[in-house]
Amino acid sequence: MTIVSRFAAAAALALLLIGGMAHAQGASVAFGGLKHDASLPVEITADELTVDQTTGSAVFSGNVVAGQGEMRLSASRVQVQYATENGEATGRIDQLIATGSVTLVNGAEAAEAEKAVYSVDAANIVMTGNVILTQGVNALSGEKLTVDLNTGSGRMSGRVRTIFRTGGN
């Protein structure tokens, strides 16, 4: 079952059980499962790789999966931006920019979006465009999700929507 269909099923069930919704402009949430060691090596697999030495970037396309420790980021396309010092590429990854059916999974938590930017040195991920976050049986949606991987804290913004289960089975 996909994350989207799990969210839809959970939403429908919760609507039947409690008959109400909570809406907000922004919400801080705990991302204990998304706490992560950004110093680990990044492994990327894809159907195709294009490298541009002049811009210091590489583009992976087709069934892209980027892994770092337990964290997995999958997308149709991932552009790798390399860090530079004094105008020279260092070979160290600065950012991963993922587009097209982006899914981020770490432990029991998963998020889907249209785009994700993972800033490796800053150890944060910003996901934008129809973001859906699932944490176990709970789901939260909005337009932007920002996660600090060092602390496991995050913020969902842009017409946040969730459904709270108030008890019972």
Side-chain angles (χ1 to χ4, degrees):
M1 180 179 275
T2 70
I3 292 172
V4 174
S5 60
R6 281 191 292 163
F7 176 76
L13 177 61
L15 277 173
L16 290 172
L17 293 174
I18 66 172
M21 285 184 264
H23 292 278
Q25 289 299 319
S28 293
V29 288
F31 293 94
L34 288 179
K35 197 169 182 180
H36 176 70
D37 182 358
S39 69
L40 295 171
V42 175
E43 178 182 338
I44 302 174
T45 59
D47 293 337
E48 187 175 307
L49 168 63
T50 304
V51 177
D52 186 341
Q53 296 293 340
T54 59
T55 63
S57 70
V59 176
F60 292 87
S61 55
N63 302 307
V64 184
V65 177
Q68 188 180 39
E70 291 184 31
M71 187 172 69
R72 295 287 174 268
L73 177 72
S74 63
S76 299
R77 179 181 189 271
V78 173
Q79 179 179 353
V80 178
Q81 292 290 133
Y82 293 98
T84 59
E85 290 179 15
N86 301 322
E88 298 291 322
T90 63
R92 192 178 81 251
I93 295 174
D94 180 42
Q95 288 187 330
L96 297 176
I97 303 164
T99 54
S101 301
V102 178
T103 303
L104 173 70
V105 177
N106 199 12
E109 296 177 329
E112 289 185 352
E114 294 170 9
K115 180 178 181 181
V117 178
Y118 174 25
S119 299
V120 177
D121 287 344
N124 71 22
I125 296 176
V126 177
M127 300 182 80
T128 54
N130 299 313
V131 181
I132 297 173
L133 170 70
T134 58
Q135 296 176 301
V137 297
N138 299 314
L140 185 67
S141 68
E143 283 304 308
K144 181 177 180 182
L145 171 64
T146 304
V147 179
D148 181 331
L149 295 171
N150 289 324
T151 64
S153 64
R155 181 165 182 82
M156 180 78 79
S157 60
R159 199 65 185 155
V160 176
R161 181 177 177 175
T162 189
I163 299 170
F164 296 102
R165 203 164 155 188
T166 59
N169 293 337

